[in-house]
Amino acid sequence: GIQVEQSPPDLILQEGANSTLRCNFSDSVNNLQWFHQNPWGQLINLFYIPSGTKQNGRLSATTVATERYSLLYISSSQTTDSGVYFCAAPGGDNYGQNFVFGPGTRLSVLP
Amino acid sequence: DTGVSQNPRHKITKRGQNVTFRCDPISEHNRLYWYRQTLGQGPEFLTYFQNEAQLEKSRLLSDRFSAERPKGSFSTLEIQRTEQGDSAMYLCASSLVGGRYSSYNEQFFGPGTRLTVL
């Protein structure tokens, strides 16, 4: 099945700094999602982005499906951005029916 | 649209007991997924339903696990004879998919049920 990797595993930022999180996947995908998991465990949808670029406030994401990677940009980071960021791509025995998650990037934003 | 809800939010049980979790998906979503997440890891797929039909089960889903979605709305996940290794966060997600060849499948997750087996 598909392999999903994320880098860096951990990231510590000062409030106001910018960051880029990367997601690599081993096979072509027809959809991809980015999530933020808050300290209470809730997975919050950030982007559904099989290809192209999307922006939502201080966050933006780009997926280059042909090169098998996606990037999540966080600008002017805030302490509330802290948490774990996951990307997920379709995989498994029945292509496209469930998600394979990467190991996550743990982001800590310091005041 | 109230989002995906899960109950209970926390469950503590003794080894060997049976537990059941419930998931209520976003109304009109036809797909419902169960995932399991252990500490420090990403969620791992367990099983999914299209309406009331269970279409795929992961190899992670041992015989002690059973899931149902009897009327194509809410779903239950039961774990029989719990073991300490079952301690995890159990996450439910739902999505609305279109035609047979549609690739759109944006999944929305509930808050999870945290299971602790003593």
Side-chain angles (χ1 to χ4, degrees):
Chain A
I2 195 170
Q3 305 295 315
V4 180
E5 299 175 346
Q6 291 185 245
S7 60
D10 296 281
L11 188 58
I12 300 175
L13 298 175
Q14 208 67 38
E15 199 168 26
N18 302 330
S19 62
T20 301
L21 282 58
R22 186 176 181 103
C23 173
N24 292 331
F25 35 93
S26 61
D27 205 348
S28 58
V29 298
N30 59 6
N31 72 59
L32 185 134
Q33 282 188 250
W34 281 97
F35 298 91
H36 175 213
Q37 190 165 42
N38 66 21
W40 298 271
Q42 174 77 58
L43 280 166
I44 300 164
N45 288 36
L46 297 178
F47 294 101
Y48 176 85
I49 185 164
S51 63
T53 297
K54 290 185 177 179
Q55 179 151 10
N56 184 4
R58 297 181 296 104
L59 273 61
S60 64
T62 295
T63 296
V64 184
T66 53
E67 298 188 19
R68 301 180 183 178
Y69 73 88
S70 183
L71 302 174
L72 177 69
Y73 306 96
I74 304 174
S75 64
S76 304
S77 58
Q78 301 175 357
T79 56
T80 52
D81 295 331
S82 297
V84 184
Y85 289 80
F86 290 103
C87 66
D93 298 334
N94 199 355
Y95 180 75
Q97 305 313 321
N98 66 76
F99 273 140
V100 173
F101 281 76
T105 292
R106 182 173 298 277
L107 175 65
S108 300
V109 181
L110 305 178
Chain B
D1 184 354
T2 58
V4 179
S5 62
Q6 294 186 244
N7 288 287
R9 296 291 306 278
H10 302 273
K11 179 71 176 178
I12 299 174
T13 191
K14 292 183 179 179
R15 188 178 54 187
Q17 298 295 305
N18 300 342
V19 295
T20 300
F21 310 140
R22 177 177 170 129
C23 171
D24 287 86
I26 293 172
S27 59
E28 299 180 355
H29 275 193
N30 50 9
R31 289 243 181 108
L32 187 148
Y33 300 79
W34 286 99
Y35 292 82
R36 181 172 68 186
Q37 185 177 24
T38 53
L39 201 61
Q41 305 294 317
E44 295 175 295
F45 168 75
L46 293 178
T47 187
Y48 92 94
F49 293 83
Q50 171 101 5
N51 299 312
E52 66 275 10
Q54 187 174 17
L55 296 188
E56 186 177 351
K57 292 192 285 187
S58 163
R59 285 182 287 273
L60 291 176
L61 210 66
S62 77
D63 292 344
R64 298 183 296 105
F65 288 69
S66 63
E68 294 183 341
R69 194 184 183 197
K71 297 182 180 179
S73 57
F74 73 91
S75 175
T76 57
L77 177 68
E78 181 183 17
I79 309 174
Q80 296 182 328
R81 304 181 304 281
T82 53
E83 302 172 355
Q84 288 184 324
D86 297 330
S87 295
M89 175 80 91
Y90 290 83
L91 294 163
C92 175
S94 70
S95 66
L96 178 64
V97 296
R100 182 173 184 173
Y101 300 104
S102 170
S103 64
Y104 176 76
N105 185 13
E106 184 176 6
Q107 297 186 25
F108 296 86
F109 281 78
T113 295
R114 186 171 298 280
L115 172 66
T116 301
V117 181
L118 302 177

